Amino acid sequence: RRNEIPIGIGKISYTYNDILFCAAVGSCVALTIRNNRSGYTGMAHVFLPDAATGHHSEDSPGKYADWAVTNLINNLLIKTDSSVNDLSAYVSGGAQMFPIRQAQCCMDIGKINAERVRQLLIDHHIVIKFWDVGGKAARTVAFDAAKGEISVTKKDDRTVKKS
């Protein structure tokens, strides 16, 4: 029996065979990067787009998009002795969780989070295999590392799957 490993906000976990998951992903982004050659997979529960300059926390390596992407890539490459050509990304979340009236006076942090993750992946030459962002529904995101499959269940119970 394989384990299901929950990823809390700001956290990152890695596995070869288990199922990584983020529950209640609203404006946050569940970012999964997988080494297609070895199957080694990491998932981060990204909360905000960028860390303040000079700010760093070992307790929350996935809190900010810039930290999460760097941590995931570095750890996957070191552990598997491979190149970025072996990596693929799966991105879900970035919903607009506030009513339109409130959103007009505030930033759409979900959209900003998703766009920042996308740009960082492009900057690192990581192929994005799955992109399910936006909307107004929170999601639960699960990635089966052994099979290389993602499952996204939205609050309205629609499920999107991608291998």
Side-chain angles (χ1 to χ4, degrees), residues 4 32 35 43 45 53 56-57 61 66 85 87 101 103 106 117 122 139 160:
E4 291 186 354
T32 305
N35 183 310
M43 180 183 274
H45 193 145
T53 304
H56 184 71
S57 170
D66 54 347
N85 296 331
L87 305 180
R101 249 200 252 117
C106 307
V117 166
I122 289 169
R139 301 154 164 85
V160 177

Side-chain angles (χ1 to χ4, degrees), residues 90 129-131 143 148-152 160-163:
Y90 302 76
K129 282 183 83 171
F130 181 82
W131 182 260
F143 193 90
E149 294 178 349
I150 190 167
S151 173
V152 180
V160 177
K161 288 193 177 191
K162 174 76 175 184
S163 296

